[in-house]
Amino acid sequence: MQGNTSRRRLLCWAALGTSSILLPGEVLAALKTPTMTEGPFYPGPKDLLLDQDNDLTTITGKSGVATGELIDLTGRVVDERDRPMKNALVEIWQCNGNGRYHHTGDDSRAPLDPFFQGYGKTVTDREGRYRFRTIKPVAYSGRTPHIHFKVKSREFGEMTSQMFVPGDPGNARDFVLRNIRNEADRMRLMMSLKPAAPISGVKLLAQFDMVVG
């Protein structure tokens, strides 16, 4: 029995590709989500709209809906032992369906979208769950489609990264994504997408779990 236990530890160690030894009782449920740059378009005070909720596809006081494929983005914030991080602040920001950020530093000629927030935030529930309604990310000059996100909590501090569309042809050319050298790490930055029931105009259900250290 002791030999089998030792062998399982060695196999787990080899699969994780780490130099640390698992001690008795230690189990890693998931590997930490790789961190990435927040980029140049994290919104500052001049860029934020008054409407900063978790629905990026509508603006309070306006009747239109954002351009693009509407998605429901859900997931959990957990630690490496799969323990939920409740009351964590989750922020996301992305370019609009035309490929332009709602940011004073974006000098793109692509049009702004008056019905797209560009930024949203929410707080996780007791199970670590979060939810946003936004648009499927699109490419802009030099980048493959992606959504930036930042997670903040008193329990672990702050983590910033990006999530991507699996199978998008731009992924192989994206210099930020390719900077993540390990293929397994890049795969952990891919959201899952599946068709949604035809209600409320939502086209896709997206899921992405954030594993913090």
Side-chain angles (χ1 to χ4, degrees):
M1 180 66 71
Q2 184 175 359
N4 290 338
T5 301
S6 298
R7 184 172 181 272
R8 284 197 297 270
R9 288 177 183 165
L10 287 173
L11 288 173
C12 186
W13 179 20
L16 291 173
T18 177
S19 59
S20 60
I21 299 175
L22 292 178
L23 300 175
E26 288 189 330
V27 177
L28 291 181
L31 295 178
K32 181 182 175 182
T33 300
T35 58
M36 303 186 79
T37 175
E38 71 176 25
F41 300 128
Y42 179 71
K46 294 182 179 180
D47 307 304
L48 290 171
L49 301 174
L50 292 177
D51 194 349
Q52 300 174 28
D53 61 8
N54 64 338
D55 185 351
L56 281 68
T57 65
T58 59
I59 303 293
T60 300
K62 297 184 178 181
S63 59
V65 178
T67 298
E69 289 185 84
L70 270 59
I71 66 172
D72 269 347
L73 170 62
T74 61
R76 297 176 71 222
V77 179
V78 299
D79 68 8
E80 291 168 300
R81 296 174 183 269
D82 201 37
R83 293 177 298 197
M85 297 289 103
K86 65 179 181 179
N87 298 322
L89 175 66
V90 181
E91 303 172 276
I92 66 170
W93 64 102
Q94 65 187 107
C95 66
N96 65 26
N98 303 312
R100 182 173 176 177
Y101 281 87
H102 185 83
H103 192 282
T104 53
D106 189 348
D107 57 2
S108 168
R109 294 184 179 179
L112 291 170
D113 184 345
F115 306 116
F116 186 61
Q117 280 182 198
Y119 167 89
K121 61 184 178 181
T122 191
V123 175
T124 58
D125 67 12
R126 61 185 300 173
E127 299 299 326
R129 295 173 298 197
Y130 71 88
R131 183 182 182 186
F132 290 96
R133 177 163 294 183
T134 184
I135 61 170
K136 182 181 178 182
V138 302
Y140 69 92
S141 180
R143 291 300 314 277
T144 195
H146 62 280
I147 297 175
H148 296 265
F149 66 89
K150 189 185 293 285
V151 188
K152 301 176 183 178
S153 169
R154 292 181 180 178
E155 293 191 51
F156 63 84
E158 180 177 306
M159 181 184 74
T160 304
S161 194
Q162 301 172 28
M163 63 183 82
F164 298 83
V165 177
D168 191 279
N171 292 346
R173 303 186 299 271
D174 188 86
F175 68 98
V176 178
L177 182 58
R178 298 305 300 180
N179 196 46
I180 304 294
R181 302 297 184 184
N182 186 281
E183 176 66 20
D185 287 341
R186 290 197 296 270
M187 291 305 297
R188 288 204 298 279
L189 295 172
M190 301 295 157
M191 66 179 75
S192 66
L193 293 168
K194 63 180 181 180
I199 56 173
S200 303
V202 174
K203 298 294 185 182
L204 296 167
L205 301 178
Q207 195 272 336
F208 187 88
D209 291 340
M210 305 169 183
V211 183
V212 299

